[in-house]
Amino acid sequence: MALSAPIMTHPQTPLIEAHDLNVRIGGNAILEDITLCLRAGEIVTVVGPNGSGKSTLLRALIGALAIDGGHIHKARDLRLGYVPQRLHIDPTLPLSVRRFLNLPRRHHRATIDQALEQAGIPGRADAALASLSGGEFQRALMARALIDEPNLLMLDEASQGLDQTGTADFYRQLEHIRDRLGCGILLVSHDLHVVMRAADRVICLNHHICCQGRPEAVTAAPEYRALFGTDDETALAIFRHDPHHHPHAPAAEDDDAG
C-alpha cells in the first residue's frame, strides 16, 4: 500500500520515493532495483547513455507506465508537472498557445501569462502553436507544466531544440523556478557538461543506478567514466551554479546499485 505524507515546503521533505523499482518492456529489463528519493527544493539530473531507461524512469514515477516490482510512494496532495521529451500535435489544428494551455480546463489570463513568462516565452499566448520554433514549443510545454504550480517538476530532455545559449538560459530558469516555487525538479538530460551547472545531485543510470551524488563526485566516479568513455578532465569540466540561499539535501555517497 502506498504511503502518503502531506506536502510541506521544508527542503528535506520527500516528494516521491522509489524502492527496488523494476520495469520490464517486451520481456526486457529496462529498470532494475531502482531506489531513489526526490525532495523539495532539490534539482536532480538523470544522465545515462541512449536506451539506459531514463525516460522510462520518469514515466514510471508519474504513473504512466506499469511497474513490475518495487514500490513508489508519493507525498499526499503532490502536484506533478511533467514536460515530455516530445509531443506531436497536428500542425493543421487552429490552436493558439492560450487554448493549448487551457486544456483540459480553463485558467485565468493572468495565470497563463505568468506561466509563459516563467517558461521564457512571454507575450506568446495568442501565437499559433504551429508557428512556434522547436525551442519555443518546448517552453510552451514547460508553461503547461508550471501552470498549476507543481511541487515536483519532471522534465524529459526539455532543452532539446535550444542552442547553447538557450540551453544555458534554460538551466538558469530552472533555478529561478525552484527558488520561487520551492519545488523539487527531476531532469533527464544528455547535456553532460552544461547540465552540471544546475544540478544539486546527479544520478547516473544504465538500467540500474551506477552512481549518484553531487556532480563533482559523479564525474570522478569510475562507473561514470566507464559509461561515457573518457578520462579527460577537460571533458568532465563542471559548470556549477552560483551559491544560493537554500540548504541542499545531504550529498549521497557514490554507490554501485547493480
Side-chain angles (χ1 to χ4, degrees), residues 55 58 82-86 138 154-158 160 188:
S55 295
L58 263 64
Y82 176 60
V83 181
Q85 187 174 27
R86 61 181 63 87
Q138 285 302 111
M154 293 189 178
L155 306 101
D156 190 356
E157 300 280 11
Q160 65 178 350
V188 166

Side-chain angles (χ1 to χ4, degrees), residues 90-171:
D90 188 335
T92 65
L93 282 177
L95 192 64
S96 69
V97 173
R98 187 182 306 279
R99 288 181 64 191
F100 173 66
L101 296 185
N102 272 324
L103 298 173
R105 62 184 183 85
R106 295 184 63 83
H107 296 84
H108 292 298
R109 294 180 67 90
T111 301
I112 289 175
D113 291 342
Q114 182 183 43
L116 290 172
E117 183 173 356
Q118 289 175 352
I121 50 171
R124 299 291 278 160
D126 296 317
L129 200 62
S131 72
L132 301 182
S133 68
E136 287 177 324
F137 182 70
Q138 285 302 111
R139 291 179 183 271
L141 293 180
M142 169 78 89
R144 184 184 175 95
L146 291 173
I147 204 161
D148 291 319
E149 299 196 333
N151 309 115
L152 178 59
L153 179 62
M154 293 189 178
L155 306 101
D156 190 356
E157 300 280 11
S159 63
Q160 65 178 350
L162 301 179
D163 59 18
Q164 186 173 0
T165 300
T167 299
D169 289 342
F170 176 80
Y171 288 122

